[in-house]
Amino acid sequence: MTENIGVLGTKKSSQRKGVERVVNAPLPTVYGAFQAVGYLDHDRGDEQVALVYGDIGTESVLTRLHSECLTGDAFGSQHCECGDQLASALRAVVAEGSGIVVYLRGHEGRGIGLLGKLRAMALQAEGLDTVEANLALGLPVDARDYGVAAEILHDLGVRSVRLLSNNPRKREALLQHGIQVLEEVPLLIPPCENNITYLRTKRERLDHRLPHLDAVAHWS
């Protein structure tokens, strides 16, 4: 792990901008023993966390930017693959021996919030796809901003990553904020009947790289 990760003071200032590292705490998990590095995003008011495993160094750090998904991460929803992706990313980082999972709060429902996401899911149950549902509600298709993730990586001393992602927009965002992406590592989860339409929409309309869906032909 990089130097100087520890508990910091929590000085309050209405003039503060950007991301402030606040605390570092050991976090033993079923996957392995992580360090939970907590941040406050002064621009948006969100509390963020990076789960750091091992001695990450500065270059070619295996990294996952994981958007908050209460229904998938906590409740095991099969509407998406988010919970399985989070678990797979944590396992991959431990297997690698070092790495980071940045858990991005404020990204629920691709940035439209929990209630917005639930409303969109209700419309999807009526036949709209995930893009059509957001638009029908007058909400953006994807309102996520990965600038805070880049700030966290900069704070941790990371200059380049191998990015665990199927979403090319994450790579583009990191590059725009000065983090080099040396490789995009696929994070492919076997689909199920409940999420195959959602995943196909992500591939066809949101440019996610999901080649494993080609082998699934028995669900409409």
Side-chain angles (χ1 to χ4, degrees):
M1 186 183 299
T2 55
E3 295 181 326
N4 300 323
I5 297 180
V7 178
L8 302 185
T10 56
K11 294 183 289 185
K12 303 291 184 181
S13 170
S14 60
Q15 303 303 314
R16 294 219 45 157
K17 299 291 183 183
V19 174
E20 176 190 10
R21 191 195 312 172
V22 175
V23 64
N24 175 49
L27 185 68
T29 75
V30 295
Y31 309 101
F34 288 81
Q35 294 291 320
V37 187
Y39 292 86
L40 178 59
D41 179 354
H42 288 279
D43 296 330
R44 300 169 184 81
D46 292 323
E47 296 174 339
Q48 305 287 5
V49 64
L51 299 184
V52 180
Y53 186 82
D55 183 3
I56 58 174
T58 62
E59 304 289 350
S60 193
V61 181
L62 187 63
T63 299
R64 166 71 177 168
L65 309 183
H66 189 85
S67 294
E68 176 182 27
C69 177
L70 179 68
T71 51
D73 299 340
F75 302 150
S77 168
Q78 290 189 326
H79 181 269
C80 62
E81 81 277 44
C82 299
D84 287 335
Q85 282 192 316
L86 178 59
S88 294
L90 292 167
R91 291 191 190 100
V93 162
V94 171
E96 178 79 5
S98 64
I100 305 170
V101 175
V102 181
Y103 193 86
L104 292 164
R105 303 188 68 201
H107 277 204
E108 189 78 54
R110 298 195 303 274
I112 65 173
L114 178 60
L115 296 183
K117 180 172 78 171
L118 293 176
R119 292 187 181 104
M121 288 169 61
L123 291 179
Q124 289 170 65
E126 296 176 3
L128 299 186
D129 68 32
T130 183
V131 171
E132 293 165 344
N134 282 33
L135 295 175
L137 292 167
L139 298 171
V141 173
D142 192 339
R144 289 175 292 181
D145 181 348
Y146 298 101
V148 65
E151 288 189 63
I152 288 171
L153 293 176
H154 281 301
D155 179 76
L156 293 171
V158 174
R159 292 196 291 261
S160 65
V161 300
R162 286 177 295 124
L163 187 62
L164 280 161
S165 180
N166 311 317
N167 183 357
R169 298 181 187 184
K170 291 183 180 179
R171 175 182 181 275
E172 294 165 4
L174 288 183
L175 291 174
Q176 289 172 2
H177 289 91
I179 300 291
Q180 293 299 308
V181 180
L182 303 182
E183 181 185 1
E184 291 178 78
V185 181
L187 194 59
L188 304 176
I189 305 300
C192 68
E193 188 171 3
N194 290 317
N195 66 24
I196 185 64
T197 299
Y198 171 77
L199 294 176
R200 284 174 173 154
T201 301
K202 287 213 300 184
R203 181 174 71 170
E204 294 163 9
R205 304 196 64 179
L206 298 173
D207 302 321
H208 287 225
R209 299 188 179 102
L210 300 170
H212 65 311
L213 301 185
D214 292 337
V216 181
H218 58 285
W219 292 314
S220 59

